[in-house]
Amino acid sequence: MRELLRTTDPVRIAMAMALLEGEGITAFEWDVHMSILDGSLGILPRRLAVADADWFLAQAILRDNGLWEE
């Protein structure tokens, strides 16, 4: 597994997951339940990860849709 995206924006994560699933790439969202620790303030980032073999294609999909962060 390789981290693809890290953000505090839940909409960005949802959009990225929808785009990847639409292309047949399975994405895993890490740190979903960390909001319990920050009191649901949204200050702890969530991470999106994909399999190593899918990382390059997933990166290209996010870049083409304006979601890639360098």
Side-chain angles (χ1 to χ4, degrees), residues 5-58:
L5 178 68
R6 181 184 297 224
T7 183
T8 57
D9 185 357
V11 175
R12 190 179 195 99
I13 290 280
M15 186 171 176
M17 287 191 70
L19 289 168
L20 295 173
E21 288 176 9
E23 295 293 329
I25 297 174
T26 302
F28 298 94
E29 189 175 354
W30 292 341
D31 305 325
V32 176
H33 302 290
M34 292 300 288
S35 64
I36 294 169
L37 296 176
D38 72 2
S40 299
L41 296 174
I43 57 174
L44 295 175
R46 294 181 183 180
R47 297 178 292 162
L48 194 63
V50 296
D52 291 334
D54 293 330
W55 191 85
F56 184 76
L57 180 58

